[in-house]
Amino acid sequence: MATPGDVNMTLEEKAVALLLRSPRLDVGTIIDLLDVGDREFRDMTKRNATICNLLEARRSGKLEPPTSQPAQCRACNEWFVPYGASKFCSDACRTAGRISGGPCSKQP
């Protein structure tokens, strides 16, 4: 079965597979966002098992939205709910973290 990281998938297929994981986006919006035609989308679903499985999970209501666990900001130590793999609670903390954690800084 193909996964979004599979080298055999086209860039469009990877994007479609990643966007289909969000139950908040409807399929029509995904097609419009990526400027994919209906025929091209149907062809993708026929040749790509990941896309087909995600569509089936959406139809059956088994697709659950991804959840995030609270994390502690590496710069200010405040707790926050990260977006994706974010390690910082804000842009300011990310900048501070880059400055203090750069390759030339010496950590104790």
Side-chain angles (χ1 to χ4, degrees):
M1 179 162 108
T3 61
D6 191 344
V7 294
N8 296 327
M9 291 176 65
T10 66
L11 184 60
E12 283 181 333
E13 289 174 343
K14 290 177 186 179
V16 167
L18 289 172
L19 290 173
L20 283 173
R21 292 178 179 202
S22 172
R24 294 182 186 106
L25 290 173
D26 63 336
V27 175
T29 301
I30 294 170
I31 290 172
D32 291 342
L33 282 172
L34 297 176
D35 197 26
V36 175
D38 291 339
R39 178 179 288 183
E40 186 179 357
F41 185 76
R42 282 192 300 272
D43 289 343
M44 279 185 206
T45 60
K46 289 177 185 175
R47 71 175 175 264
N48 190 306
T50 300
I51 293 173
C52 185
N53 292 337
L54 285 166
L55 286 171
E56 184 57 38
R58 290 170 73 95
R59 279 188 210 110
S60 65
K62 294 179 181 176
L63 187 65
E64 296 182 19
T67 58
S68 294
Q69 298 297 322
Q72 197 167 12
C73 178
R74 290 186 178 181
C76 69
N77 294 323
E78 290 291 323
W79 287 92
F80 71 105
V81 177
Y83 177 77
S86 178
K87 295 170 181 61
F88 302 100
C89 66
S90 67
D91 290 341
C93 283
R94 185 183 72 229
T95 302
R98 285 182 178 168
I99 292 170
S100 66
C104 297
S105 67
K106 295 181 180 175
Q107 301 286 332

